[in-house]
Amino acid sequence: VNGMEIYSMKIDSKVTSRFAHNVITSRAVNRGNVSKEVFFDVELPKTAFITNFSMTIDGVTYPGTIKEKEAAKKQYEKAVSKGQTAGLVKASGRKTEKFTVSVNIKAASKVTFELTYEELLKRQFGKYEMFIKVKPKQLVKDFEIEVDIFEPQGITELEAEGTFITNELQNTIKKTFSGKKGHISFKPTLDQQRRCPSCSESVLDGDFTVRYDVKRTTPDNLQIVNGYFVHFFAPTNLPKLSKNIIFVLDTSGSMSGREIEQTKEALLKILDDIKEDDFFNFILFDSEISTWKETLIKATPENLDEARKFVRQISAQGLTNLHGGLMRGIDILNAAHEENLVPKRSASIIIMLTDGQPNVGVSNTQEIEKSVKKAIDGRYTLYNLGFGSGVDYSFLERMALENKGLARRIYPDSDAALQLQGFYDEVSNPMLIDVELNYPENEISDLTTNSFKHFYDGSEIVVAGRFVDSNQNHLSVDVRGEGAQDTLLYTTQQGAEQTAQAFQEQQYIFGEYIERLWAYLTIEQLLEKRITATGEEKENLTAQALALSLMYKFVTPLTSMVVTKPEEDENEEGIADKPTEGIDIFAIPGMCVIYAKLLLIVKLISIKLSFITKSYGQASPLYHTYAPPPTWYTSVDGDPHFIISVPQKKDAICFNINENPGMILNLINDPVTGITVNGELIGDKRANSDAKIQNSYFGKLGIANKHLNVKLTVTPERITIENGDEKTGFTWLDSVTLQQAGLTLIINRKKNLVLSMGSGASFVVVLHQVWKKHPLHQDFLGLYTLKSDKLSEQTHGLLGQFFRPIDFTILEIHPGSDPKKPDATMIVKNNELTVTRGWQKDYRRDPTHGVDIPCWFVHDNGAGLIDGVHTDYIVSSLF
């Protein structure tokens, strides 16, 4: 693209005993005759740790070095002071993080990028899954995915599929496996990569997934290599345990609409899967707590029918008494066990779903954590599902981990019901409770977690450790777990002979894989324990995890990889960080925002968009050319800012939208008058190395009236008006008054233009000119709507939907992360949102500097305030 050709891309994966070592190599050449910037842009699984990165330019290699985050930060800040910028890793999807680095390449020069990452593949629903994101963004002459799997237990099944695989491409996936080895290759030709025979767009865009399982002649498997061992435990054919499951559900106002309907849809499907031996109940919490039944109920067909009726009539309103809901659920479980209402050998599980933060009853999250932990007392597992981005995910995660469970995000998309159901399926078949794997203490020095509350069907327990004597080649383990009918109790052994036999197969295996598997698992568990730890314990866990991350060269939340670049490259230093799930950071003007853990130093590719809708009684002095003082209803100006004025509250609401330059947004759409306004985004001339978030502005506006068959295109250079087949053009140096049937256009030279349409609606477009030689900024436009009451009730769009009055209520103002900007709970459009007090610029009175307008800032692309989601407003063209 743009003279840069990626001529080779290879993804090479070697999997040994579930541990995957992946190398992505990309080669590019500059076919142009001037220097060009080339981007290496890949998406990795969130569960993976980057271990290495290098760039080779014309035979010279520039390696990445992994350092403690503080040391990397100092090195980075030194680079920034010289005007240099960073490469980056940022969260990019449900399962992925994006690694991006760019470098300038001279004409005819070649560059090779090589990125290595590792992860332990987890078993779910009876299979190990490896996920590779494929998105080369152009046709690649030599494209290949190659996966080699070596499993000492033997491979029983192996499959590969791609979301982008057409019937034609199906035959290009080659797959073989026999005994302990499996091989997959995918090597489409240039023509097979084309979207259509004459297209230059690539069809390769999506997920490539490999799944496999291993032979299980015994319940477990021990492997010993070079002073380390790994123990895989996954017994099969056990009788299923009955379960006691309590669903604790948020039914506050913010869940109304699609969220509550999707939750109900998932619950109805879950009720179809609940087994007759199971016991269950529903607790609903909003301002009040309500229960379906006073005790746990057996899942008989009659009770399930009654439960379905109950689920169908669930509705959402009120505030969020999360503490009250959880405590009621725990009380019901406690009573069921004390009164022997449920079998002694059964698994007790609480699944809590919320989309907001506690704001009635006990709302202090630390107090909630403390009382829930005390009430559960290690007897039950708590799973917390956070719906959307209004949740305090860190709090949900801490509370779940303290109670032997985990937290999971539910993304507010069309498949949210499937996500909820999928999570239930993972935990719906407990086979064992209180599993312990005991190793001889005097032989093992460093052991990963070895006791587990539940073992679920189709999953696997993995324990790894280091021997005191690195020459030890045998091990005996006592295994214990409580099953449906009796206690599972046995000893498993690996002798010196088996170890020696396994050793002969080392030629198939990369490096010290068991040692690295042990390090990966240890770091992962130390970081998890660190979430709930405090004080000295947290410091010790941090020190251990950091030491291992540096020793084994893993990019974890405690380390960063510094990428050095050629000296003549203006982006000399790059830094890669590991993002984490628990941080919800949202853009507020004046706050520099990055989605990376702890070290906010990475330049984001996405841009900040802030929307302004405001109502004023007087005309701006800038617009002295038209007589009546207009009512300033809505405007979008600056980096585009929108504020929504709420006159009856003497207050305003504002929000940001993050989208890329080139995107076109629908601002106003009135089907009755036929008026539409769309705006195309531009960015700065180049990425601003000092800015964490890149600026964006409107660089092109399209105003159309289909009844009059008129289209007006405005850029900072030209104004073009199309009337049927006639086209007339002006520049901003013209002073013009144009009148024709149903339309008036006034251009005030180098300042603004005023457009009035048939219905009486008027728009003012303001020209913002910057110094021509400015290194970063370019000219842009502002849009103001006058007499919006002349548009119909059906008007919509990012601005148009706010032409009708809007009301909101603010509750519970409390300190936020910035002492100057408190947080609060806002009830608006029946949604309960977490908002932050902030300011937005209004350029009406002062086009150069703007005036700060206080407003309540709605996070997450205006979610809950705008109708639908922000991507609904992206349109394909200006008209």
Side-chain angles (χ1 to χ4, degrees), residues 245 247 270-276 278 280 299 304 424:
I245 188 158
F247 297 95
I270 286 167
L271 286 170
D272 292 342
D273 294 337
I274 285 184
K275 297 168 188 65
E276 195 154 352
D278 292 343
F280 72 108
L304 286 168
Y424 170 79

Side-chain angles (χ1 to χ4, degrees), residues 710-730:
V710 168
K711 292 176 185 169
L712 183 78
T713 307
V714 188
T715 71
E717 294 78 42
R718 294 187 64 72
I719 299 118
T720 309
I721 187 160
E722 288 177 69
N723 197 338
D725 295 331
E726 284 176 39
K727 203 182 228 184
T728 315
F730 305 101

Side-chain angles (χ1 to χ4, degrees), residues 444-462:
I444 309 292
S445 67
D446 293 286
L447 189 66
T448 62
T449 301
N450 66 326
S451 68
F452 303 85
K453 188 66 187 166
H454 294 156
F455 167 71
Y456 294 106
D457 192 21
S459 71
E460 180 173 68
I461 284 172
V462 183

Side-chain angles (χ1 to χ4, degrees), residues 747-811:
I747 301 175
N748 295 303
R749 177 185 154 91
K750 292 173 79 172
K751 282 185 180 172
N752 58 61
L753 70 80
V754 186
L755 177 71
S756 300
M757 299 262 200
S759 66
S762 302
F763 304 95
V764 180
V765 178
V766 180
L767 173 66
H768 289 269
Q769 287 184 309
V770 297
W771 175 48
K772 284 283 169 270
K773 292 181 183 170
H774 195 291
L776 276 181
H777 303 322
Q778 45 186 345
D779 298 351
F780 63 96
L781 305 169
L783 172 77
Y784 295 78
T785 308
L786 315 179
K787 300 185 186 170
S788 59
D789 56 339
K790 301 288 187 189
L791 294 169
S792 82
E793 285 289 306
Q794 292 174 43
T795 303
H796 210 261
L798 273 169
L799 282 177
Q801 64 188 294
F802 298 112
F803 292 171
R804 297 181 291 285
I806 184 169
D807 198 9
F808 66 87
T809 308
I810 290 289
L811 309 163

